[in-house]
Amino acid sequence: MIRAHVTVAMLALLAGFIAFDAMAADPLNPYTAPPMLALGSGMAAAGAHCAAPPPK
Amino acid sequence: MSQAASAAIPSSPGAAARLMALVAIAAVVLAVALFAGPRYGLLLLIGLGFGLTLEGFRFGFTGPWRRMILERDASGLLAQLICIAIVASVAFPLLAANGAELKGAHAPIGVAMIGGAFVFGAAMQIVLGCGSGTLVNAGSGNAIGAVALPFFAIGSFAGAYHLTWWTNLGSLPVMVLSGGQGLAITLVGLAAVAGLALMLGKRGSHRLPARYWGAILALAGLAILHLIVAGQPWGVVYGLGLWVAKVVVAMGGDLSGSAFWSAPGNQAQVAASVLTDVTSLTDFGLIGGAALMAWWRAGLASPIGILPARAWVAVIIAGLVLGYSSRLAFGCNIGAFFSGIGTGSAHGWVWFIAAFAGSWVGVRLRPWLGLEARK
């Protein structure tokens, strides 16, 4: 077994997960997407982050 | 290596293959931008840049700490500190002037946070990969990284599930260094750590190899771009836990028992496409960028090393522990150390001390777990 096998398996797993999510999650809607840059958008940052304190 | 495998993977990809790979990646990024939104396409591109940089310059967070502990080689740690200083020098003014649009990686210091960072530091030395390192290793064909990654994700999901219980053990309010004074304190702190590392390190540690300078500039540039695009600093482990949460819900699991996963923001993220989650996109990019770089320089043809069974058991357990502890610690080397300190969170400094102490233990555990020869 060589490293390429691991990489191919990893990329296949990733593609499989994204395909599964595309079927299970809410459909994408680019018209409700935020502007390309958060800076200058006038919108509060809303993304999740591992450093965010948990909800009370 | 089998003959078939050797034939299937040329030692060095040709120009046509490289061009096709670049076209395919551009098509994927464009598709994400078109179907999910331009910000998400750009975040995937930034993630690819992180992966290309870390694999291309052979730069990381675990290895330099290991070399500092075992060989007193401070150069890698020094490179990390310089990179954080560059990011902080840009991020502090940006956050001060645009507090409504941008946020830092700010988290509370607490009992579980410190314990989590210590355990994370030990586990990352066992698998020789932190948050970003495990993703890069998995993408570049490292079997240990690939085996650890799914368990890292499961651990991250479980750690987030129990996070409120752990933080209730005792936490201080979130403490943030901000503005010009905060930046000055941060830069002095980074310089002090660098001075201490040089004092304890072997002679010549101050001379950084050219590849470190390449990594410093590329990582700092990408991290600043990430803040501008996403409105938040670079992070890794939230996305991993989210992937497992999505699978659990799809299998009929109920997350209402977790204060974390049942919070409206997290519920919405579990229901939404993974292509709209900031950390998932950069995580995908890290794996893809590392894979591309490893293939580009013909690094995928080397055989996988053989390890004893107890070593694989140790990798699985360490993967679970990495994920669980990184949630208690409010981040890994990226979310807490790199982005925490770089955006003024006091927890980043405490994380660094605790995780480095844990790394000292982890380095000494590796031989006992069968992951390297005993001396």
Side-chain angles (χ1 to χ4, degrees), chain B residues 1 92-93 100 119 141 147 155 188 190 196 213 233 236-237 247 258 280 295 317 320 326 351 354:
Chain B
M1 190 191 323
F92 273 68
V119 171
V147 169
V188 167
L190 290 167
L196 184 66
W213 285 109
V236 170
V237 295
V247 173
S258 163
S280 292
W295 171 75
I317 293 170
L320 285 168
S326 63
W351 190 99

Side-chain angles (χ1 to χ4, degrees), chain B residues 234-247:
Chain B
W234 181 21
V236 170
V237 295
Y238 176 86
L240 302 180
L242 178 69
W243 303 350
V244 176
K246 281 172 164 291
V247 173

Side-chain angles (χ1 to χ4, degrees), chain B residues 61-74 76-78 80-81 114 116-125 193 196-197 200 333 337 348-364:
Chain B
F61 289 84
T62 308
W65 289 21
R66 176 180 163 89
R67 285 192 290 280
M68 179 67 203
I69 291 166
L70 288 179
E71 304 163 25
R72 298 274 183 251
D73 176 2
L77 178 58
L78 208 58
Q80 294 169 7
L81 298 170
I114 296 169
F118 179 88
V119 171
F120 183 89
M124 81 176 195
Q125 291 298 342
V193 175
L196 184 66
L200 297 173
N333 294 56
F337 175 54
W349 288 100
V350 177
W351 190 99
F352 171 53
I353 296 165
F356 202 90
S359 281
W360 191 90
V361 175
V363 161
R364 280 152 183 83

Side-chain angles (χ1 to χ4, degrees), chain B residues 219-309:
Chain B
L219 277 186
L222 288 165
I224 292 162
L225 189 60
H226 187 286
L227 178 63
I228 291 168
V229 173
Q232 65 185 51
W234 181 21
V236 170
V237 295
Y238 176 86
L240 302 180
L242 178 69
W243 303 350
V244 176
K246 281 172 164 291
V247 173
V248 168
V249 168
M251 291 169 66
D254 179 15
L255 300 181
S256 62
S258 163
F260 182 89
W261 288 115
S262 62
N266 292 321
Q267 265 188 342
Q269 198 63 67
V270 171
S273 166
V274 75
L275 298 178
T276 64
D277 174 53
V278 174
T279 52
S280 292
L281 285 165
T282 46
D283 288 352
F284 293 152
L286 273 164
I287 296 172
L292 177 66
M293 180 54 73
W295 171 75
W296 195 278
R297 64 178 182 207
L300 295 178
S302 51
I304 304 294
I306 295 169
L307 292 173

Side-chain angles (χ1 to χ4, degrees), chain B residues 324-352:
Chain B
Y324 198 93
S325 61
S326 63
R327 292 315 325 250
L328 271 51
F330 292 112
C332 59
N333 294 56
I334 302 302
F337 175 54
F338 186 89
S339 296
I341 294 176
T343 60
S345 182
H347 100 288
W349 288 100
V350 177
W351 190 99
F352 171 53

Side-chain angles (χ1 to χ4, degrees), chain B residues 149-170:
Chain B
L149 182 56
F151 296 97
F152 195 139
I154 293 167
S156 176
F157 165 76
Y161 196 99
H162 302 132
L163 185 57
T164 308
W165 184 87
W166 284 103
T167 52
N168 284 341
L169 292 178

